[in-house]
Amino acid sequence: AQSVTQLDSQVPVFEEAPVELRCNYSSSVSVYLFWYVQYPNQGLQLLLKYLSGSTLVKGINGFEAEFNKSQTSFHLRKPSVHISDTAEYFCAVSDVGTSGTYKYIFGTGTRLKVLA
Amino acid sequence: DAGVTQSPTHLIKTRGQQVTLRCSPKSGHDTVSWYQQALGQGPQFIFQYYEEEERQRGNFPDRFSGHQFPNYSSELNVNALLLGDSALYLCASSLGGPQLLQYFGAGTRLSVL
């Protein structure tokens, strides 16, 4: 079964500074990866996804992520953060069950706190 | 176009009680998955329904059960509630069977006292 590790539980960063949130997944023949954002008291919003093709994936709100198969990583980056980016970020991998159906395996999350 | 809707938004129960949470999938979607997100944790997969059958199940006890209706909406039932069942319960839907892309609702926050 797949697994996801988010190496940082909290990341403080000053406004307008760059940020990288790290995510590593367990190795698999094929892998589909996602980043979600969760604002306080809300559900999950999809930031970006990697299904195939270019390893550099661009998402909403200026975020991007790079799929690195050799390092089994899918780190999330933003060149300049805003106060409004303060939220919990989850990395997820799609896992195929024995019946060929998909479910998501989530990491434990990284709390991004943007400081003024 | 309505997204995934869940009800109620908040719920307070006491230990030993039973609870039912409801989910309406995004328009046109026919598959519903349920996830439990405990405080400070990532969501964990509970189970998934497609064509009114449970297709896949995570590592949750039998106290957790579900149902999918002909209109694709779904219910999550939890019996004999424990304090540890307190969590945000998220519903996700997808189109054409359990696909890669799942769309999440805002969740139901359950507090067990």
Side-chain angles (χ1 to χ4, degrees):
Chain A
Q2 294 277 9
S3 65
V4 174
T5 301
Q6 291 185 246
L7 298 168
D8 306 298
S9 59
Q10 293 188 65
V11 173
V13 62
F14 285 103
E15 193 174 17
E16 299 183 7
V19 70
E20 178 179 83
L21 306 184
R22 298 181 291 170
C23 172
N24 286 88
Y25 61 93
S26 58
S27 179
S28 178
V29 175
S30 61
V31 62
Y32 308 103
L33 295 155
F34 308 82
W35 274 100
Y36 282 87
V37 61
Q38 186 175 39
Y39 298 101
N41 300 313
Q42 294 189 27
L44 299 176
Q45 180 181 5
L46 180 65
L47 276 178
L48 48 80
K49 60 186 181 292
Y50 172 78
L51 304 181
S52 64
S54 173
T55 57
L56 184 62
V57 180
K58 293 191 181 297
I60 62 171
N61 301 340
F63 284 93
E64 63 181 31
E66 185 162 14
F67 171 62
N68 188 320
K69 188 174 183 178
S70 63
Q71 298 188 3
T72 62
S73 67
F74 190 55
H75 300 335
L76 181 70
R77 301 185 182 101
K78 186 169 183 178
S80 175
V81 296
H82 303 289
I83 295 289
S84 59
D85 292 323
T86 294
E88 190 86 20
Y89 291 79
F90 292 97
C91 181
V93 63
S94 186
D95 185 53
V96 180
T98 53
S99 58
T101 60
Y102 292 96
K103 67 176 187 281
Y104 287 1
I105 305 294
F106 286 88
T108 52
T110 296
R111 184 174 299 275
L112 174 63
K113 184 168 177 61
V114 181
L115 309 169
Chain B
D1 178 22
V4 179
T5 57
Q6 294 185 242
S7 63
T9 54
H10 295 86
L11 203 52
I12 299 175
K13 292 286 188 178
T14 57
R15 281 179 297 174
Q17 285 189 311
Q18 178 264 345
V19 69
T20 297
L21 310 182
R22 295 176 176 81
C23 173
S24 293
K26 185 176 170 64
S27 180
H29 285 192
D30 55 10
T31 302
V32 172
S33 301
W34 287 92
Y35 294 80
Q36 180 196 64
Q37 185 181 12
L39 194 63
Q41 301 295 318
Q44 289 196 308
F45 176 75
I46 304 175
F47 44 52
Q48 184 176 75
Y49 279 84
Y50 172 58
E51 294 184 331
E52 301 180 48
E53 290 186 9
E54 184 181 290
R55 297 292 178 158
Q56 196 174 177
R57 187 178 182 93
N59 189 25
F60 279 80
D62 292 344
R63 297 187 297 109
F64 289 78
S65 63
H67 187 76
Q68 185 178 36
F69 299 93
N71 68 351
Y72 309 128
S73 67
S74 177
E75 288 182 349
L76 163 65
N77 300 293
V78 187
N79 293 323
L81 284 167
L82 304 174
L83 295 180
D85 295 332
S86 295
L88 179 68
Y89 288 85
L90 296 164
C91 170
S93 73
S94 57
L95 172 63
Q99 299 293 338
L100 289 172
L101 296 180
Q102 299 183 12
Y103 296 81
F104 285 82
T108 293
R109 185 163 298 282
L110 172 65
S111 297
V112 182
L113 305 179

